[in-house]
Amino acid sequence: MQAFFHFPKIGTQVPKKQGADTLLYGEKARYNGGMAKKIIIADDHSLLRAGIKSWIEKHSSFKVELDAGTVAECDAIVESFKSEKRAAQDYIAVVDISFKNDGAGGPEENCGFEIMKKFSQLGIACVAFSSHDSGGFVERAMSAEIGAKAFVSKNADENVLLSALEAVDEGRTYIQAELVSGLLETRDISQTFTKKERLVADALALQKTNAQVAKELGLSEKTVLNYLSSLYDKTGVSNKIEFLERLGRV
């Protein structure tokens, strides 16, 4: 059985939730296919970075030119592209979602989303590479907001990552086969959210209290609690942490 799920046909659509961009598998991205041979690895585990670098360079023509183990180092790479005018389309970044913040402020974990967002805005194609591989994490990483072009679980075989890099290099989007069903399930559940439930879901954050969410949305705290109860029922969870995990937000 093949380890990956390719979508070579341009314009093949995955059912989308309300308000979300349709994911076009096999679509031609803005990157120049066949040109992105330089790799950036962003992961806060040094041994993993070294292992990925060694394996990629041994089994492909890709060369790991840059790597980062902290948020500050990732930001330095971003600044180097701005100041040195590197050709962003020649690079692909492999980014771990569960990147821990190094004291620079912001969320403590899952900083990889913000890192991918910054790289994508420069025109660097990103491959999300994470042990957090539920449908919510896949959807968020591949969303227009974050901009990843591929998603691979850290539990996958090394050849899966290489196949993803090759697909992105050719200008295609790519998701590991085993992760597609979770993505579709998350989208199906999200389609059941009412407009007000979606507003509450979008405003929810681990660091926010229900009172803060209520104030932000101009609702009573009791009303927010009622919406949260409905959201938890629809997603099959029992608390805020589980809900945010289900949606790839924590």
Side-chain angles (χ1 to χ4, degrees):
M1 187 177 99
Q2 286 186 321
F4 282 91
F5 193 55
H6 289 278
F7 296 85
K9 184 178 178 182
I10 296 177
T12 300
Q13 296 186 10
V14 170
K16 65 177 180 177
K17 66 179 184 178
Q18 294 177 345
D21 291 331
T22 303
L23 202 58
L24 299 179
Y25 295 94
E27 65 176 335
K28 284 296 179 182
R30 64 179 179 275
Y31 311 103
N32 296 325
M35 294 298 291
K37 296 298 182 184
K38 301 172 184 177
I39 304 297
I40 302 168
I41 300 176
D43 193 292
D44 55 5
H45 295 89
S46 58
L47 288 178
L48 185 60
R49 291 200 309 277
I52 294 173
K53 178 180 186 298
S54 176
W55 198 93
I56 287 176
E57 294 186 341
K58 182 177 180 181
H59 294 87
S60 74
S61 61
F62 294 108
K63 297 296 179 185
V64 177
E65 184 169 296
L66 300 167
D67 72 275
T70 66
V71 173
E73 288 174 353
C74 290
D75 287 341
I77 290 175
V78 169
E79 291 305 314
S80 74
F81 272 84
K82 293 178 180 178
S83 61
E84 298 172 22
K85 297 183 179 180
R86 297 175 185 262
Q89 69 270 19
D90 292 344
Y91 289 80
I92 299 174
V94 178
V95 183
D96 181 15
I97 289 176
S98 54
F99 211 107
K100 294 181 177 60
N101 200 314
D102 50 357
E108 292 182 358
E109 296 195 20
N110 298 341
C111 295
F113 284 124
E114 188 62 27
I115 292 167
M116 284 189 286
K117 185 176 180 179
K118 291 178 180 178
F119 284 161
S120 296
Q121 288 172 344
L122 289 173
I124 300 170
C126 292
V127 176
F129 186 53
S130 178
S131 56
H132 292 298
D133 54 13
S134 65
F137 281 93
V138 177
E139 180 172 37
R140 187 178 178 199
M142 303 289 287
S143 69
E145 177 192 2
I146 303 302
K149 296 301 175 182
F151 198 110
V152 175
S153 170
K154 280 190 174 180
N155 298 317
D157 184 84
E158 292 92 341
N159 286 300
V160 175
L161 178 59
L162 181 55
S163 293
L165 289 170
E166 290 171 346
V168 172
D169 183 43
E170 293 169 1
R172 294 182 286 120
T173 50
Y174 190 96
I175 295 177
Q176 185 179 336
E178 293 83 357
L179 307 182
V180 174
S181 60
L183 169 62
L184 295 179
E185 180 183 359
T186 297
R187 290 191 164 185
D188 286 343
I189 292 172
S190 297
Q191 286 179 338
T192 70
F193 294 174
T194 67
K195 184 177 180 179
K196 285 294 182 65
E197 286 173 348
R198 185 170 302 284
L199 288 173
V200 172
D202 289 344
L204 206 62
L206 193 61
Q207 297 85 2
K208 286 183 184 177
T209 65
N210 292 337
Q212 289 173 318
V213 172
K215 183 178 181 180
E216 181 180 324
L217 298 178
L219 302 171
S220 69
E221 188 171 354
K222 182 178 179 180
T223 300
V224 168
L225 287 171
N226 288 336
Y227 283 130
L228 287 177
S229 178
S230 177
L231 287 167
Y232 295 166
D233 286 342
K234 289 180 177 181
T235 52
V237 302
S238 59
N239 57 57
K240 182 168 73 172
I241 293 178
E242 291 178 354
F243 179 74
L244 291 173
E245 286 178 343
R246 187 71 184 268
L247 297 186
R249 302 260 299 280
V250 65

